Amino acid sequence: MTFLNMFISGGGNNDGSYTNKTYDKLIASASNKNALSDKARTDNEITAEKLLYKDSAIDPIYWMNAATLTNPKVKGVQYFSSGVWYYYMHAYRVK
């Protein structure tokens, strides 16, 4: 919701001044009426995100990824999606 709330009409972080009444209703519903229902809230969020892309309110142009070669004999390596990419503190080798 942090990301989706950035695009509500008149929102403080809506720097692009995106406005769509249907989008606003979906976010309000996900935040209030459907907040405690995983399925209904997720349906609202998915529909709202599709609307953002359809309206071209945001257009992702970059997706970060990295190929990682791993040895199946090395266990306990932790991988992260932000910050440091991997951590070897608990890594060990099996025979």
Side-chain angles (χ1 to χ4, degrees), residues 7-8 15-16 21 23 29 33 49 55 57 59 65 79 84:
F7 300 98
I8 56 173
D15 295 333
K21 290 180 183 183
Y23 181 85
S29 181
K33 182 177 105 178
E49 188 171 356
D55 290 349
D59 288 317
N65 64 32
Y79 297 95
V84 64

Side-chain angles (χ1 to χ4, degrees), residues 25-56:
K25 288 178 185 177
L26 287 164
I27 297 304
S29 181
S31 299
N32 300 313
K33 182 177 105 178
N34 295 327
L36 299 178
S37 170
D38 287 341
K39 177 160 179 20
R41 184 188 67 248
T42 301
D43 288 345
N44 287 151
E45 293 167 344
I46 289 170
T47 304
E49 188 171 356
K50 286 180 180 179
L51 194 55
L52 275 177
Y53 290 119
K54 180 183 151 293
D55 290 349
S56 292

